[in-house]
Amino acid sequence: MTARQTGTTLYRGLFGLLLAQVLVAVGILLLRQPGGVPPMLRAKAVAAVGGIVVAAACGGWWLSQAAHRLSATSPATAVAGGLAASLIRLVVPLTLLGWLQTDWAGGLVSAPLQGFLTETLIASYLVLLLVDILLHIAASRQGRPVVSSREST
């Protein structure tokens, strides 16, 4: 894979993740309207959660693409980069989800808002995880060399 193809893959991936998050945010705002959470607060909650999750997803995507470039020359560094990318994708949303389940978070936000934040976080994370998997499949197929089915003798 050339440097130009790698850059294109990186930008397409970032664009895909951002587009998916925008669609999830719009869907949540249109379809989910819990009682006890004013519309303006809902919009702020979706924006905050979406920003956190998409930042983790884009950071993980960027790191995995950087690690992929090193795979031919330094396989150990590529594996470490891939593991670090997975860790970024997982730790940030799970930390927020864990915090939302604590009593301290319950004291700062109302119960309906806490439930809405949790639902928004889970929906955003799962959609971005799906998009990330699809992007990795597409990127891995794009960089494969074409191999003839018959050997020439």
Side-chain angles (χ1 to χ4, degrees):
M1 188 181 281
T2 66
R4 184 170 188 223
Q5 288 173 327
T6 302
T8 301
T9 302
L10 175 67
Y11 294 129
R12 282 185 185 163
L14 293 174
F15 177 75
L17 291 167
L18 290 170
L19 179 63
Q21 181 55 44
V22 167
L23 293 175
V24 168
V26 168
I28 288 171
L29 286 173
L30 292 176
L31 300 175
R32 185 75 176 104
Q33 299 174 1
V37 182
M40 194 62 177
L41 189 56
R42 263 187 322 127
K44 288 178 183 178
V46 169
V49 169
I52 291 168
V53 174
V54 82
C58 287
W61 176 255
W62 176 81
L63 190 56
S64 68
Q65 291 304 300
H68 181 69
R69 282 190 292 257
L70 297 172
S71 61
T73 57
S74 179
T77 305
V79 170
L83 290 172
S86 296
L87 187 67
I88 288 171
R89 280 186 211 106
L90 284 172
V91 168
V92 174
L94 287 178
T95 301
L96 180 57
L97 184 62
W99 177 78
L100 283 170
Q101 305 306 312
T102 63
D103 291 334
W104 189 56
L108 294 175
V109 295
S110 65
L113 180 59
Q114 191 174 6
F116 180 71
L117 286 168
T118 302
E119 291 171 7
T120 303
L121 175 64
I122 291 170
S124 295
Y125 177 74
L126 290 177
V127 169
L128 289 179
L129 181 63
L130 172 67
V131 171
D132 193 87
I133 290 168
L134 294 174
L135 286 170
H136 274 87
I137 291 170
S140 68
R141 289 187 179 181
Q142 183 183 23
R144 286 188 182 163
V146 178
V147 179
S148 171
S149 61
R150 298 183 190 187
E151 291 184 52
S152 59
T153 55

